[in-house]
Amino acid sequence: MAEAGDLAALALMTRHPERFVWIDETGSAVKIGSSAADPDAYRKHNLWIPPSVGWSTLHPRAQRLLADVLLLLNLTEREGLTLDDRLQRTNRTELPPCLTRDRSVLRPERTVGKPGAAEPGTGCLRGCKFELCPYPAKGEQPAGELREPFCRHQQVLAARRTLRRERAGWQGMTSHELGRFWGAMAERTRTPSKGDG
Ligand SMILES: [Zn+2]
């Protein structure tokens, strides 16, 4: 999937994923989730995908690619990594094996403040050159926390039979594993971290 890799790399290098087709900044507001959602929460989280953006109108394959690009952005745009670090670790045209092969190493359920190896790079699969895992902990505020509806939607996509047949070339895990990962990603947005946000 050289194309996916290129797109991901481009989004990453430009730091402007919204330039890519899948985000329609000017489009009419697409309500995702409840209308009673707290607007402060959006501001607080500095979302890559603001609530007004119509990701839900994209082709499922584009949604799937978008999700993985956003994961990569969140892995990269974090405290403790200098700009040099970031460029050095991500200046590649493929996605990290921790995204493509085994997402359990991202440990999306991890909470902040737990002892143990958590520095970027300490959780990677053997041979991973990106050195970005694990994923920022819950409460560590990644650049743009992915919201629950988005994650749930990815979970649904993972299980969809037509999509399973034409599985994204870069996703080397089973649809079950992928679905479980997105379930965990959705869960982490449910319980707001107290006091450390
Ligand atoms: Zn890795």
Side-chain angles (χ1 to χ4, degrees):
M1 258 337 241
E3 188 194 337
D6 287 351
L7 283 173
L10 264 174
L12 201 58
M13 300 297 272
T14 62
R15 305 276 180 256
H16 289 288
E18 74 276 6
R19 281 196 197 142
F20 295 82
V21 290
W22 49 64
I23 295 186
D24 174 16
E25 269 193 317
T26 57
S28 61
V30 176
K31 292 283 178 228
I32 301 158
S34 99
S35 55
D38 177 7
D40 287 335
Y42 302 139
R43 255 176 262 130
K44 183 180 152 210
H45 286 294
N46 181 27
L47 297 163
W48 285 111
I49 312 181
S52 63
V53 156
W55 55 261
S56 62
T57 62
L58 293 173
H59 189 279
R61 298 186 68 161
Q63 292 174 350
R64 197 165 50 177
L65 175 58
L66 167 66
D68 289 353
V69 169
L70 293 172
L71 287 176
L72 188 54
L73 282 166
N74 279 342
L75 281 168
T76 313
E77 302 275 311
R78 62 208 280 184
E79 282 178 36
L81 285 185
T82 66
L83 187 59
D84 276 353
D85 281 339
R86 292 173 188 178
L87 289 174
Q88 202 184 351
R89 291 181 199 204
T90 57
N91 189 14
R92 302 168 202 282
T93 52
E94 79 264 29
L95 291 166
C98 307
L99 276 183
T100 58
R101 275 197 276 131
D102 181 2
R103 297 195 179 186
S104 65
V105 299
L106 296 175
R107 297 169 64 202
E109 70 292 338
R110 194 171 62 92
T111 46
V112 78
K114 279 239 180 89
E119 291 292 307
T122 52
C124 278
L125 291 173
R126 221 187 146 95
C128 174
K129 300 189 194 81
F130 288 80
E131 298 178 47
L132 293 167
C133 295
Y135 195 74
K138 224 196 289 188
E140 210 180 332
Q141 288 306 346
E145 183 73 86
L146 303 180
R147 294 179 56 228
E148 189 182 1
F150 185 80
C151 297
R152 292 283 177 217
H153 186 68
Q154 290 295 322
Q155 201 179 2
V156 169
L157 287 184
R160 199 183 280 180
R161 203 183 292 162
T162 50
L163 274 180
R164 252 180 5 219
R165 236 179 279 128
E166 42 177 299
R167 187 165 60 187
W170 69 92
Q171 292 176 343
M173 73 291 294
T174 67
S175 50
H176 181 71
E177 285 165 341
L178 189 60
R180 200 167 44 190
F181 167 77
W182 282 112
M185 287 296 290
E187 284 302 318
R188 66 182 255 141
T189 65
R190 297 200 74 160
T191 37
S193 48
K194 292 188 198 101
D196 56 10

